[in-house]
Amino acid sequence: MPSPTITTLLEGHRSQPHQLIEALQDVQKHYGYISEDSMRSISDELGVSLMEVYSVASFYKAFSLQPRGKNIIAVCTGTACHVRGAKMVLNQAISQIGAEPGEISKDGLFTIEHVNCLGACALGPVVTENESVHHHMDPGKLRKLIKSLKKGDKEGASHV
Amino acid sequence: MTQEVTVNIDGAFIRAPKGSTVLDAALGAGICIPHLCRVPYLEDIGACRLCIVEHIENGRSKITTSCTLLVQEGMRILSNTDRIRKLRRNIAELLVTEAPNSRAIQDIALRCGVVETRYPFRNSDCVLCGRCVRACTGHFGEKAIGFVGRGKDRRVESPFNLYSELCNECGRCIDLCPMTIVPCDGNMKPGEGRLCGNCESKMLTEEAAQGYCIGCYMGDGFQCERSITNTL
């Protein structure tokens, strides 16, 4: 499936083993995750062994090897956020979406992640939804956020 | 002709070819520094940390792995100080609690003076020494297995955990694995991990004497050069 476009994605990295991470980043950005097929293509195009590609992709947390939802909700579970109840927020997110952290929800819209610190401890508990940061989260606010995201997706384009 | 340098290891002045490691120089001169992850013909990565030594430079001592430290003219190395012995015993203790089912690791632990363990036995079957991985990547370059993940999830696997078509079944990874030599009493079940201590009578356990070669037998592929030349 990804074959025709992945070749164009890897255009600038061909035969340059040192650009492995850049290539993986491009694939991740384009597909949202790195599939087995794309790893094989990267290995062929860049001239890096498949083992090396797999080692690097599995080493960095920034690369996801499983498909991810359209919206990525990252709940901060760092010390400050934990003290202010990040656990409750995370549990709420899991029960709302019906998928464990790292998994994709059944409708393909959401993936929850927990991160260790977002660097905004004074605003905790912090949740990021795609790229935007939400401060002082509680289960109620999170429920509303998820609801509005679902609604936005149903209505179509408007929500980015 | 290869250039030679003189290094001072434990007070002995040793001539070693430039570009060789301190561990090689010490083993060549019969100073036994315990080691696990080193394979003579493979690149060293300093994974097991057993071969730590004190490198004295400008009056300050720095602890580092001797397998990744290259010899330099006028170097001063101490391989058997109290500090080193304490650290090395700790490392060996951690290794043996992780994987008590290996004769090689049990022998190394005994050799490093581990008499009791303070940690629960894990009975894991890998200590991530990387011998198999380096055998598969370094010299011959099949690259069928490698390290996957990181931190506590790090493990040795083939890509996607499937049988790799690159593997030509040479078996070198298995030959080099310390886990293939089981303790004399046979395998310990999970929860039954213990220090075997069977070879205690054969080993010299006195701490201060650890710098001397006692002709220990660690299983194929684990002897230092000295014991190989002795048997030849």
Side-chain angles (χ1 to χ4, degrees):
Chain A
M1 172 264 283
S3 308
T5 44
I6 197 150
T7 41
T8 50
L9 264 183
L10 297 175
E11 201 61 63
H13 307 300
R14 194 153 293 150
S15 306
Q16 296 180 79
H18 61 275
Q19 292 212 351
L20 174 59
I21 288 180
E22 283 90 336
L24 285 167
Q25 275 174 331
D26 284 354
V27 172
Q28 162 100 3
K29 206 172 164 191
H30 195 259
Y31 295 104
Y33 78 110
I34 299 162
S35 66
E36 195 179 319
D37 286 341
S38 30
M39 269 190 257
R40 286 183 196 279
S41 314
I42 291 173
S43 159
D44 289 344
E45 296 283 345
L46 269 72
V48 185
S49 74
L50 183 61
M51 190 62 242
E52 236 161 282
V53 179
Y54 186 53
S55 287
V56 171
S58 65
F59 185 85
Y60 293 103
K61 220 184 160 185
F63 298 130
S64 168
L65 304 185
Q66 262 115 41
R68 294 200 297 175
K70 200 173 167 195
N71 300 295
I72 290 148
I73 295 176
V75 182
C76 176
T77 50
T79 316
C81 292
H82 172 80
V83 169
R84 295 189 186 193
K87 193 93 194 166
M88 277 176 357
V89 176
L90 185 63
N91 287 339
Q92 175 70 18
I94 291 169
S95 63
Q96 281 287 308
I97 285 158
E100 289 296 305
E103 290 175 2
I104 186 167
S105 65
K106 276 197 189 112
D107 52 8
L109 287 179
F110 294 100
T111 294
I112 319 164
E113 279 175 353
H114 47 84
V115 291
N116 286 331
C117 189
L118 290 164
C121 302
L123 305 173
V126 183
V127 169
T128 61
E129 155 260 313
N130 301 321
E131 297 291 281
S132 56
V133 182
H134 298 260
H135 59 92
H136 297 111
M137 286 305 278
D138 55 50
K141 278 170 89 176
L142 186 80
R143 201 158 49 226
K144 271 181 210 155
L145 174 69
I146 292 173
K147 208 181 250 174
S148 73
L149 284 171
K150 274 184 181 164
K151 215 172 144 196
D153 278 309
K154 259 180 208 153
E155 279 170 9
S158 67
H159 190 86
V160 181
Chain B
M1 218 198 111
T2 49
Q3 267 186 301
E4 287 206 329
V5 290
T6 308
V7 285
N8 181 345
I9 303 177
D10 289 344
F13 289 95
I14 293 166
R15 304 275 297 162
K18 212 172 178 179
S20 67
T21 63
V22 171
L23 181 60
D24 283 331
L27 292 177
I31 298 170
C32 184
I33 299 174
H35 52 273
L36 173 68
C37 70
R38 171 181 176 276
V39 185
Y41 55 90
L42 294 178
E43 175 200 9
D44 290 308
I45 53 167
C48 69
R49 317 307 291 178
L50 276 169
C51 66
I52 46 168
V53 290
E54 267 187 80
H55 176 202
I56 300 183
E57 210 173 13
N58 307 329
R60 290 173 137 208
S61 93
K62 204 176 131 197
I63 289 181
T64 179
T65 49
S66 58
C67 68
T68 53
L69 187 66
L70 296 182
V71 288
Q72 277 160 27
E73 184 62 50
M75 222 178 191
R76 269 190 72 206
I77 302 289
L78 292 173
S79 79
N80 197 22
T81 59
D82 284 345
R83 196 170 158 209
I84 287 290
R85 276 203 299 271
K86 203 175 153 196
L87 286 167
R88 196 180 280 152
R89 191 168 58 228
N90 241 323
I91 294 166
E93 195 177 336
L94 287 165
L95 282 172
V96 79
T97 48
E98 184 71 25
N101 264 328
S102 159
R103 164 100 193 267
I105 295 171
Q106 287 273 6
D107 280 2
I108 286 170
L110 189 65
R111 173 94 181 77
C112 297
V114 179
V115 282
E116 55 174 351
T117 55
R118 291 162 291 172
Y119 315 106
F121 284 98
R122 286 230 192 108
N123 281 65
S124 134
D125 42 18
C126 182
V127 289
L128 299 174
C129 62
R131 287 167 70 107
C132 53
V133 172
R134 278 174 293 144
C136 203
T137 47
H139 224 60
F140 304 91
E142 286 90 353
K143 299 192 181 175
I145 51 168
F147 287 117
V148 174
R150 75 163 155 183
K152 66 179 172 53
D153 298 321
R154 193 166 154 99
R155 62 204 180 273
V156 174
E157 241 177 50
S158 53
F160 317 112
N161 209 3
L162 301 169
Y163 178 78
S164 172
E165 63 266 35
L166 294 169
C167 175
N168 56 17
E169 295 178 6
C170 65
R172 226 178 304 114
C173 48
I174 296 166
D175 289 344
L176 289 175
C177 181
M179 300 305 298
T180 51
I181 313 155
V182 293
C184 319
D185 285 353
N187 266 324
M188 298 163 196
K189 291 190 190 76
E192 286 179 3
R194 61 183 190 281
L195 289 175
C196 74
N198 260 350
C199 318
E200 205 149 6
S201 51
K202 292 182 221 153
M203 298 285 237
L204 199 61
T205 47
E206 201 178 314
E207 278 206 357
Q210 278 181 10
Y212 303 99
C213 181
I214 50 162
C216 49
Y217 178 72
M218 304 269 190
D220 289 327
F222 288 89
Q223 306 100 323
C224 47
E225 279 70 23
R226 193 177 165 88
S227 54
I228 291 171
T229 46
N230 279 351
T231 52
L232 283 177

